Amino acid sequence: MAFMAPSSSSRPLQFHEHASARRAAPALLRRPRSRWRRNQLVCSLEATKQAVQEERPAAVNGVAGRTDCYGVFCTTYDLRAVGARWRTDWCKRDEETKAWKKVVSVAVSGAAGMISNHLLFKLASGQVFGPDQPIALKLLGSSQRSFQKLEGVAMELEDSLYPLLREVSIGIDPYEVFQDVEWALLIGAKPQGPGMERADLLNINGQIFAQQGKALNAVASRNVKVLVVGNPCNTNALICLKNAPEIPSKNFHALTRLDENRAKCQLALKASVFYDKISNMTIWGNHSTTQVPDFVNARIDGKPARQVIRDTKWLHEEFTKTVQKRGGELIQKRGRSSAPSTAVSIVDAIRSLVNPTPEGDWFSSGVYTNGNPYGIAEDIVFSMPCRSKGDGDYELVTDVTIDDFLWERIKKSEAELLAEKRCVGHLIGEGEEELCEVTEDTMLPGEQ
Ligand SMILES: NC(=O)C1=CN([C@@H]2O[C@H](COP(=O)(O)OP(=O)(O)OC[C@H]3O[C@@H](n4cnc5c(N)ncnc54)[C@H](OP(=O)(O)O)[C@@H]3O)[C@@H](O)[C@H]2O)C=CC1
Ligand SMILES: O=C([O-])CC(=O)C(=O)O
C-alpha cells in the first residue's frame, strides 16, 4: 500500500497511491526505494562552523540601466552569502523538527490543474500552515485520464525536497482520498465549454460537489474545513455542505478571497498607496459579476476609503465594475482563467483561518447563511466579512454599515444565488431540475 523513505526526522516520509489508482497505474509503486530523496545535508558542528565562516553580509545590488527586467526583478542578490546562511538554517531546522506539530492532512481536488500547479508547492513549503507544521497532501483527480498527470505532480513535489512534506498520496476515488482529512480544498471542476448552458454547468459541476460532499461526510475528519474553489463556487459549496450533514455547515467556504485581493489592489492603485495599507475589505455575495466590493467600510491607512478617495463616481462605477469583471478581463488577455493569483488567494484564505485576524480588521469568505445579522436570505452561501481567532473557525463581523448603494446590489447578488439554488434543487434534496431558470445576470467573473 505505501512505502517509506528515510527522512531527517523521526516521522516517516511516505508516498501512497490509493488502491483504485494503483490498479490502473502500478508504475509509481514499483519505483525502487533508492530513488526517493532525503535531505542530503550533513548537520555536523564542522559543517555549521564552515557555513558561518563563509557567510558575508548578503549584498543586494540594484542593476541600474537594465532594460531586460521588470520592477523587482532588476535586483540581483549575492547567492553565495545566501547559500551559506541556508546551510546553517538547514542544520538548525534539523533540530527544530523535534518541535514540529502533528501532521495536518490536506486533500486537494483538481490536483493536476492550473491552480493546483501553483498551490501545492506553497502548501508543501510551509508558507500556508507554518514552518513547524508538517503536511500530508492527498491529491484527487477526476479520472484515469488525469492519473498520469497526478503522478507527474507527485514527482515534482518529490524533487522539491520540502522538509515539511511528509506524505503524498494520489487517487481518483474521493472516498479513499478524503479519509480522515482535516482540510479539503475542492478546486477540480469542469470549465464552461463553448455552447454550454449555464444550467448545464451548474448541473455537471453540482454532481461533482454532491459526490464529494457525500464522501467527506462518510470518511473525512468530523471537523474538516472545506474550501470550494471550483465554479460556480458559492452554489457548489452549498451543494457540498447539503450532502455532508454530519459536518458542521459553518466549516464550508466558497473562495471569494481573490475578489477581495483584486478590490484591495484597485483601491491601492487609486489612492497611490502600497496595498498593505488597505484593510476591512468585504466582498458581499456571489463569486460572479454581481459580487459587491464594499468601499463603504473599506479603510485606507486606517481611514474610511471614501475620505481618501473623494471620487464617488469612480467608486460607484469604475471600481465596482473593474472588480466584478477582473476575471473576464484577465481571461481575454491571457487566454485562460487566473491560476497563480487564485492559488495565492487560497493561501490567504487558509492563513486567515489559522491565524488570528489583526485587531479591527476582517476578511471575506463565502459562508453559509444561518442566522446572519445583515438580513440576507438564509440557507445560501454568501460572501461576508469574517474574523477568526486562528483556530480554523470564524465569526461574522457585525459592526459594518450597509448603505442604499450596497444594499441594492447585495440584493441582486442574493437573488442570483437564490436562482442558482433553485437550479440545483435536485442535488440538495429540494426539488426538481426543471425549476432551473438562471438569468443572463448569472455569470462567473470569467464570463463576459
Ligand atoms: N473561486 C475563484 O476565485 C476561482 C475559481 N476558479 C475555478 O477553479 C476551477 C479550477 O480551475 P483551474 O485549476 O484553472 O482548471 P484546470 O482546468 O486547469 O484544472 C481543473 C482540474 O480539475 C480536474 N477535475 C475535473 N473534475 C474533477 C473531479 N470530479 N474531481 C477531481 N478533479 C477534477 C481536472 O482533471 P481532468 O483533466 O482529468 O478532468 C483538472 O485537472 C474552475 O472551476 C475555475 O472556474 C478559477 C479562478 C478563480
Ligand atoms: O471564471 C473563471 O473561471 C475565473 C474566475 O472565477 C475568476 O477569475 O475569478
Side-chain angles (χ1 to χ4, degrees), residues 275-286:
Y275 36 72
D276 69 346
K277 296 281 182 285
I278 315 294
S279 65
N280 304 80
M281 187 72 238
T282 311
I283 299 295
W284 297 95
N286 200 0

Side-chain angles (χ1 to χ4, degrees), residues 108-117 140-147 149-150 171-172 174 186-192 201 205 208-209 211-212 228-234 236 254-259 262 287 336-339 342 345 444-445:
V108 181
S109 79
M114 291 301 303
I115 295 171
S116 297
N117 188 36
L140 179 68
S142 63
S143 62
Q144 296 297 356
R145 202 162 46 90
S146 63
F147 187 80
K149 290 190 206 153
L150 290 183
I172 56 171
L186 304 185
I187 301 170
K190 288 272 171 268
Q192 186 161 12
L201 183 75
N205 282 339
I208 294 173
F209 289 89
Q211 188 211 24
Q212 292 180 359
V228 176
V229 178
N231 276 318
C233 62
N234 295 54
N236 288 339
L255 182 80
T256 55
R257 187 53 170 267
L258 176 59
D259 307 298
R262 288 167 171 168
H287 174 67
R336 60 171 177 71
S337 63
S338 320
T342 306
S345 73
L444 299 175

Side-chain angles (χ1 to χ4, degrees), residues 101 104-109 115-116 118-124 126-130 133 135-137 182-187 224-229 251-258 260-261 341-358 363-366 386-394:
K101 297 177 186 160
V104 64
S105 181
V106 181
V108 181
S109 79
I115 295 171
S116 297
H118 299 271
L119 177 67
L120 291 170
F121 296 85
K122 295 177 190 296
L123 287 165
Q127 61 182 288
V128 184
F129 289 99
Q133 178 58 74
I135 187 168
L137 287 175
E182 295 154 278
W183 287 81
L185 312 178
L186 304 185
I187 301 170
V224 61
K225 302 291 188 290
V226 184
L227 178 60
V228 176
V229 178
N251 289 16
F252 290 77
H253 298 257
L255 182 80
T256 55
R257 187 53 170 267
L258 176 59
E260 177 184 325
N261 290 355
S341 58
T342 306
V344 168
S345 73
I346 295 170
V347 171
D348 291 340
I350 299 170
R351 284 173 54 86
S352 286
L353 290 168
V354 299
N355 294 291
T357 308
F363 58 91
S364 303
S365 188
C386 304
R387 278 192 192 116
S388 176
K389 294 188 179 74
D391 54 0
D393 202 359
Y394 68 89

